[in-house]
Amino acid sequence: MPNQKENDNPHAGCELNLTRLLNAPRELVWEVFANPAHIKNWWGPNGFTNTIFKMDLRTGGEWEFTMHGPDGADYHNHNVFTEVLKPERIVFEHVSPPKHFTTITLTAQGDKTLLNWHMLFESQEQFDYVVKTYKADGGLKQNVAKLEDYLAARALNKTNDKPLVFERVYNAPVSLLWETLTDGAALEKWFFEMPGFKPEAGHEFSFKRNKGEQLYEYKFKITEVVEGKKISYTWAYGGIPGSSLVTYELFPEGNKTKLRLTHEGLETFPGDNPHLQICNFETGWTQILGITLPDYLETSKQ
């Protein structure tokens, strides 16, 4: 009952609950929950990625996927949907241990969505184990933060037109963010190792990296540098047609800085290569700008 005291609640000590007002319409929020092509990109705590094997979003349908942890460990998940009411509610049972029920409720509030995420465990002992062993409470907060970042990116690129555009405000001055974007040693720590990187117009550099069985040579040429404000470079692949342009723009907001990243020209890459599809760039930038970069900035300020 809504007005019950906590000590009268039979589930006290067995549940996690998080409510957040999302800056996105309910139809978009439902889409990123219901479509496996979207949910794989943001589900889980920071640093986790997902491989989805099955997602049958209907009452009685199964959802099987593996979460890949930042330490290389794999965590297989088997869920069964017990209630699906589009676009209001999704309830599923986590069948594989530790067993629990998750209820996700979406309430439209104008052009925003009130999210309620509720997880109910079988016992307080099980709840305590999950929180202590897997940090489920902190993981839930990180998961919702990743959802917010992903929704922000989808909203900016909602028509799937090019270019991709991302905006984020960082708790760091322009000087620190500029150094982070243009110093080779810093880039190696939070982005990629870029041998010979120099923040000057006309400079070219490249590096190689494996993606699955494919070896890519990343080729860059800096096209514009406005000290403390803007840096642009082309992004191409050796031996693969197409070229794109990445632009970082910095805007001071008191002691903070708004970063706008624009990645255009992605449509020039071959459409039959899964690693070069626009959704992969969108996912990659969301993770880099929402997790990797802010983590590095916080470490740099210490």
Side-chain angles (χ1 to χ4, degrees):
M1 295 176 61
N3 295 323
Q4 278 185 308
K5 295 181 180 179
E6 184 175 349
N7 58 7
D8 293 330
N9 182 0
H11 302 309
C14 304
E15 56 189 345
L16 286 172
N17 197 70
L18 190 150
T19 299
R20 189 73 53 83
L21 185 62
L22 304 174
N23 188 26
R26 185 166 65 170
E27 293 73 17
L28 177 58
V29 179
W30 178 269
E31 175 67 14
V32 301
F33 267 102
N35 189 332
H38 289 309
I39 199 170
K40 71 175 184 179
N41 297 324
W42 62 267
W43 187 268
N46 293 347
F48 280 76
T49 59
N50 304 281
T51 299
I52 297 180
F53 305 103
K54 182 179 182 180
M55 189 175 182
D56 184 9
L57 189 64
R58 61 179 179 84
T59 301
E62 294 182 297
W63 180 23
E64 291 192 57
F65 65 98
T66 295
M67 297 177 66
H68 310 289
D71 58 355
D74 289 337
Y75 304 89
H76 185 70
N77 289 258
H78 181 201
N79 305 290
V80 175
F81 294 106
T82 59
E83 183 182 1
V84 177
L85 181 61
K86 182 180 180 179
E88 299 176 14
R89 186 163 56 253
I90 299 174
V91 184
F92 62 86
E93 179 183 6
H94 190 269
V95 178
S96 50
K99 293 185 177 181
H100 59 272
F101 281 90
T102 296
T103 301
I104 295 172
T105 305
L106 306 176
T107 304
Q109 293 197 352
D111 58 354
K112 298 184 179 183
T113 305
L114 183 65
L115 165 72
N116 183 262
W117 192 314
H118 180 258
M119 300 173 67
L120 177 62
F121 296 84
E122 292 182 321
S123 66
Q124 183 171 352
E125 290 75 18
Q126 189 180 69
F127 171 85
D128 292 340
Y129 171 78
V130 170
V131 170
K132 181 178 180 180
T133 305
Y134 298 107
K135 306 295 188 294
D137 49 349
L140 176 57
K141 293 177 182 178
Q142 293 174 13
N143 202 353
V144 173
K146 287 173 64 178
L147 168 62
E148 289 182 298
D149 285 341
Y150 189 77
L151 285 168
R154 295 299 301 175
L156 282 170
N157 306 294
K158 60 185 177 182
T159 63
N160 205 31
D161 289 338
K162 294 69 171 179
L164 291 179
V165 180
F166 304 85
E167 290 186 350
R168 188 178 180 92
V169 176
Y170 295 98
N171 187 24
V174 168
S175 58
L176 176 57
L177 193 53
W178 179 256
E179 179 183 354
T180 301
L181 296 172
T182 58
D183 180 77
L187 286 168
E188 182 178 346
K189 294 177 181 178
W190 72 270
F191 191 29
F192 292 130
E193 182 179 358
M194 295 186 173
F197 177 86
K198 296 179 181 179
E200 55 187 43
H203 181 69
E204 298 183 31
F205 58 101
S206 65
F207 68 92
K208 295 181 179 180
R209 186 186 186 201
N210 282 306
K211 279 192 175 183
E213 298 179 355
Q214 179 76 42
L215 176 64
Y216 286 89
E217 181 185 12
Y218 296 72
K219 305 182 74 173
F220 304 88
K221 181 177 181 178
I222 297 177
T223 60
E224 183 180 6
V225 179
V226 180
E227 182 73 23
K229 295 182 178 181
K230 181 180 181 181
I231 183 167
S232 300
Y233 54 79
T234 59
W235 178 320
Y237 297 91
I240 298 177
S243 180
S244 61
L245 181 70
V246 173
T247 299
Y248 295 92
E249 297 175 276
L250 305 184
F251 305 92
E253 295 191 355
N255 294 326
K256 300 182 179 181
T257 306
K258 181 172 76 173
L259 168 67
R260 178 187 297 137
L261 183 144
T262 305
H263 197 166
E264 53 191 314
L266 296 175
E267 71 278 6
T268 66
F269 296 135
D272 58 352
N273 189 317
H275 292 297
L276 304 183
Q277 292 179 359
I278 291 175
C279 62
N280 286 330
F281 283 97
E282 186 174 55
T283 300
W285 283 123
T286 298
Q287 294 176 343
I288 289 170
L289 300 180
I291 300 173
T292 312
L293 177 55
D295 284 350
Y296 176 80
L297 289 170
E298 285 301 314
T299 300
S300 299
K301 292 188 295 183
Q302 294 176 0

